[in-house]
Amino acid sequence: VKDLADNVGTAKADLFHFADGKVTSDDFKIGGVDGFAKGDALYIGEGYTLNTGAKFDATAGTLTGGKNGSLEVFFIKDAGVVKAVIETADLGSSTFSTASLAGTTSDKVSIIELSGVSDIAQVSFSNGIISHVA
């Protein structure tokens, strides 16, 4: 089990988590030997809903289509790499710019680059866990 701040993947299956047990608004990149590889998982906790209907505009860097009343997880493909966008507060149907949010700690989302994942179909979300399945 690895704290997400220690974001170096190994050749073995890795389980990443947030050290304090709660999703923060920090942004991370999982890199290392094999990045976020098949068999790796990221535990974000309970209470999240996967939103597969949201739209990401890579040119504008905006994400739209959030739902009011729930904490959501989105998977986006940005510059050829899959990223998990995890709300830390209910943003509802707000449109937000991932470019303006990256690197800040007050933006109400964590953006986690899943290095080594090139297709959204390679990741899944269930029971508070993001997994690399293919």
Side-chain angles (χ1 to χ4, degrees):
V1 178
K2 300 176 73 87
D3 174 10
L4 190 55
D6 175 23
N7 57 4
V8 178
T10 66
K12 300 177 182 177
D14 296 309
L15 173 61
F16 296 92
H17 70 99
F18 288 88
D20 62 3
K22 296 179 183 176
V23 174
T24 66
S25 57
D26 294 337
D27 299 325
F28 297 94
K29 175 182 178 179
I30 298 176
V33 173
D34 61 354
F36 193 71
K38 185 175 179 183
D40 288 352
L42 167 60
Y43 178 73
I44 63 168
E46 299 297 320
Y48 292 89
T49 302
L50 177 64
N51 183 328
T52 58
K55 302 292 182 206
F56 176 63
D57 180 337
T59 303
T62 57
L63 185 63
T64 57
K67 297 177 183 153
N68 294 324
S70 62
L71 291 174
E72 297 174 287
V73 174
F74 308 90
F75 294 123
I76 62 172
K77 187 171 181 180
D78 186 18
V81 178
V82 172
K83 298 178 180 180
V85 179
I86 306 164
E87 292 182 342
T88 61
D90 177 12
L91 295 175
S93 57
S94 300
T95 297
F96 63 91
S97 168
T98 58
S100 67
L101 299 177
T104 68
T105 57
S106 60
D107 55 24
K108 299 183 182 175
V109 297
S110 285
I111 300 175
I112 303 171
E113 183 176 327
L114 305 175
S115 179
V117 180
S118 58
D119 191 330
I120 292 174
Q122 294 175 298
V123 290
S124 69
F125 177 75
S126 179
N127 298 320
I129 299 173
I130 296 170
S131 301
H132 186 168
V133 295

